[in-house]
Amino acid sequence: MAPEPEQLSSLSNPLATVDQLSTSSSQLDGVPADLEGSLRFAGAKLTQAAGILLRLPQEIIAQAIVIFYRFYLGSEGGSFRINAVKDVSAASLYMTAKISFLPQSTRSVLNVYAYLLSPTSPLRQPSEGITGKEKPDAESYYLSEGSYHSARATLLQTESILLRSISFITQVTLPHHLALTYLQTLGVLPPSPTTKSSALAARTLAHLNTALFSPQLLYLTHQPPHLAVSAIYLAAREVGVKLPSMEWWEVFDVDRETLGFLVVGLGSCEGWIEGENEKWTEISCPLTLDELEEEIRRRDVENG
Amino acid sequence: MASHSKSRWADDEEDAALEAQRKREKELKRKVKAEKQRKLEEQESLRRQNPVDATEDATHDHEAINGAAERPFKRRKLSPEPDTPLKELPPAKLLRFPAPEWGPCRHVDNFEKLNHIEEGSYGWVSRAKETATGGIVALKKLKMDNSNDGFPVTGLREIQTLMASRHTNIVALREVVMGDKLDDVFLVMDFLEHDLKTLQEDMLDAFSPSEIKTLLLQLTSAVDYLHSNWILHRDLKTSNLLMNNRGQLKVADFGMARYYGDPPPKLTQLVVTLWYRAPELLLGAEKYGAEIDLWSVGCIFGELLTKDPLLQGKNEVDQLSKIFELCGIPTEATWPGFKRLPNARSLRLPSISQTTGNVLRAKFPLLTTAGSALLTSLLSPNPAQRPTASEVLAHPYFREDPKPKSTAMFPTFPSKAGQEKRRRLASPSAPKRGDAPRIAGEAADFSGIFANRDTEEVGGGFALKLI
Ligand SMILES: Nc1ncnc2c1ncn2[C@@H]1O[C@H](COP(=O)(O)OP(=O)(O)OP(=O)(O)O)[C@@H](O)[C@H]1O
Ligand SMILES: [Mg+2]
């Protein structure tokens, strides 16, 4: 059944306009497009890592990542050269947690970011990943009272700037729950799961989580039902589960064209992420303003 | 350090000049880009007139949009499975999702302030005109608390929940605008001529039974919409119900609203203005749900019938006494587990069950049997016995004569807000963050019950006692 128009808000997100996707404040400020892509990815990864260390559920982390992307989008949006990746990431996560059921204190958010930006952080050693079981050396990221206060001022100011840039649209509807509901509707997620149905569900959710890092910003260009359907389509093909032979995606209001585009987009995410991780093995991707200026200078020198 | 790394709000004059220069340059670049984009779109629309392959086309579009030169993956067509011949299918008519957009907040100086309407506990509201369009709106300034937590969570939730609510009986939030300071944030809403509280105060007689039905139906359908979208309003009362001159009611003031879950999470009990506050909140329940809004609906129903707030407690303890007096004292049978609620532990109540219907019916002698049944069920002390909003909508009360009056037939009333500040009789306001807990659970806080019971001669036949 098609939902009533009034009910749509619970299924839909604000989407980026063509204009917003065609140019960005950062590019106008001289950040090359490929570096911008890397900065976005690094910011999303930073947000994800911080969320894991704060033991926040994936739902809140994913919403924070989408908010982070919204901020830097379009020529009217924020610029990586004015508002640092680390600050906007922290503000997105802090603000998203604040309106959720798991608000976090400024102190714990800032501690986690101080740790993640410190030289001993796993993010600074690209080969390692965040597991949430780290026992980091406290010395290297200890926040003194003085630096805590100035960091908090930056966090709260960035929060205000962020909110104004996204005109207070904090709602992010995720496709994850929808995808599970759709799987049930399609009859491929029985109440007592089989190995195959579990694998299908897991693969579907994995695609949706990977898509968060998509360089095409799929979460900003497509509605949750579209993402959910495409992830199911792709996962079913990979796991080898047969879906109804009719055009079942239309039941969920997704057309063939969109499905085609998204399946390609989702399928290419993992490769892109790998490429990105390889790109930044020598030096880590800039997360602060100084690091970004340094990187831009380095490129200028390289290009003569 | 490069000038870029300076804050946008650097107060240094030199910085400001640099910043201005940079802004001008950026503006220019923006215009050039916009022109390019326009040309691109022209070509695009030409191209669309003879489309190639649909799937291919979509991929292509997107790449053009992103302008990513070195795409790290090869564009490839979706290879359809044999059992799902993607290409051969006829295009289907599908529902389009509305796609709201976002961009930076506009400045409040796009609006011209006309007059002050009301000062509330969370900010002020005024009538204003959008200079560009001449459209009349209501501007509500959000009050910032001076906590160290940044933008107040109540304001964030007010915007979030109101923005997510699109319903004929919920006030429309048009946009959020900002002032000069980072803390100046205003909600731009549709302007409505009245609020139900001020309106009732100025009316000689209460609304007619058929008008009450229409008002109640509109309120309940808004509440039903909110609850089905997992939003609790948590401050329903007549001053938060707006009305226009076409008899339309719209729920406003989402300052207490929030998303909730099932099972309900632990939420603050510091919600809902005292006179409309459900007994489970007064008794300190840590988990509560949509039922608290239906209690408020019941209070509003009673208020519409008599033009007077139904349960005007002086404080939390008194409020609870008044509720029990009108609706009966709960027992383990009528409300299992209620004795274990934090504030109920210090109460000693008579064990005989009260027959509640009689008191309520006596108070509203003109109400039909169906009407009394609805009111009594909404005012069930046990939240589990209250109807849901959708059950209320289906209640026989609305189908019996007199039928609900069509909104078009509603009388128009002179608008107070159109000219001057609304005059208000004193009444309690929504609880603020940081208010002292209402019932501390200490014996001392309940002494009021004895005082009240002693002096009042209402033959309620019960007494609240401290252990
Ligand atoms: N859109 C509107 N059109 C006309 N009047 C409005 C509008 N919104 C609010 N008002 C008026 O302003 C009053 C206060 O608004 P609102 O309840 O949103 O603010 P508040 O500060 O949260 O109030 P309180 O804390 O007292 O409940 C309302 O009772 C109503 O009289
Ligand atoms: Mg109000």
Side-chain angles (χ1 to χ4, degrees), chain A residues 164-224:
Chain A
R164 288 163 168 244
S165 304
I166 60 172
S167 46
F168 287 83
I169 304 184
T170 55
Q171 181 186 317
V172 179
T173 305
L174 295 172
H176 299 62
H177 285 297
L178 267 185
L180 295 179
T181 311
Y182 290 178
L183 284 172
Q184 278 165 357
T185 312
L186 288 167
V188 286
L189 202 61
S192 45
T194 63
T195 335
K196 217 163 194 181
S197 74
S198 305
L200 175 62
R203 214 42 218 140
T204 302
L205 295 182
H207 277 305
L208 291 176
N209 285 331
T210 312
L212 263 177
F213 297 94
S214 148
Q216 294 163 296
L217 303 174
L218 297 178
Y219 275 70
L220 304 197
T221 58
H222 289 80
Q223 294 296 2

Side-chain angles (χ1 to χ4, degrees), chain A residues 85-140:
Chain A
V85 172
K86 73 168 176 66
D87 294 334
V88 178
S89 163
S92 305
L93 194 59
Y94 174 67
M95 194 274 296
T96 309
K98 179 162 34 180
I99 51 176
S100 78
F101 291 107
L102 291 165
Q104 301 293 309
S105 68
T106 51
R107 172 86 61 179
S108 29
V109 170
L110 291 170
N111 276 343
V112 161
Y113 275 84
Y115 162 61
L116 286 172
L117 284 145
S118 70
T120 57
S121 151
L123 285 184
R124 302 296 198 181
Q125 280 113 47
S127 53
E128 290 162 42
I130 293 274
T131 62
K133 293 188 198 77
E134 282 76 14
K135 287 211 187 63
D137 162 25
E139 286 299 303
S140 64

Side-chain angles (χ1 to χ4, degrees), chain B residues 279-315:
Chain B
E280 64 268 31
L281 292 170
L282 291 162
L283 289 170
E286 273 178 343
K287 298 200 166 180
Y288 56 83
E291 304 87 3
I292 64 154
D293 282 341
L294 285 135
W295 175 270
S296 306
V297 170
C299 295
I300 293 165
F301 186 9
E303 181 170 342
L304 289 172
L305 292 167
T306 61
K307 219 165 74 64
D308 218 18
L310 185 61
L311 293 157
Q312 307 185 30
K314 294 188 215 42
N315 51 47

Side-chain angles (χ1 to χ4, degrees), chain B residues 373-386:
Chain B
L374 176 59
L375 183 59
T376 309
S377 66
L378 284 166
L379 295 177
S380 309
N382 177 0
Q385 281 165 11
R386 279 170 230 153

Side-chain angles (χ1 to χ4, degrees), chain B residues 117-127 137-141 143 158 171-172 187-198 235 237-243 252-256 273 417 422 424 428-431:
Chain B
I117 303 174
E118 178 63 44
E119 190 109 27
S121 52
Y122 283 90
W124 55 258
V125 181
S126 67
R127 197 167 67 104
V137 298
L139 276 184
K140 175 172 175 178
K141 183 169 193 277
K143 204 170 259 174
E158 174 165 12
V171 68
L187 307 191
V188 183
M189 295 172 282
D190 285 356
F191 172 80
L192 278 94
E193 287 87 348
H194 314 280
D195 71 63
L196 220 47
K197 178 166 195 291
T198 320
D235 198 15
K237 56 175 172 177
T238 43
S239 66
N240 288 340
L241 303 180
L242 305 175
M243 226 183 105
D253 194 354
F254 279 52
M256 289 271 148
T273 304
R422 284 175 191 165
R424 273 294 163 75
S429 52

Side-chain angles (χ1 to χ4, degrees), chain A residues 10 21-22 76 100 103 171 175 206 219 234 236 257 266 268 279:
Chain A
S10 57
L21 291 165
S22 74
E76 308 273 351
S100 78
Q171 181 186 317
Y219 275 70
L234 198 57
E257 186 181 321
L266 288 178
S268 61
K279 206 152 123 194

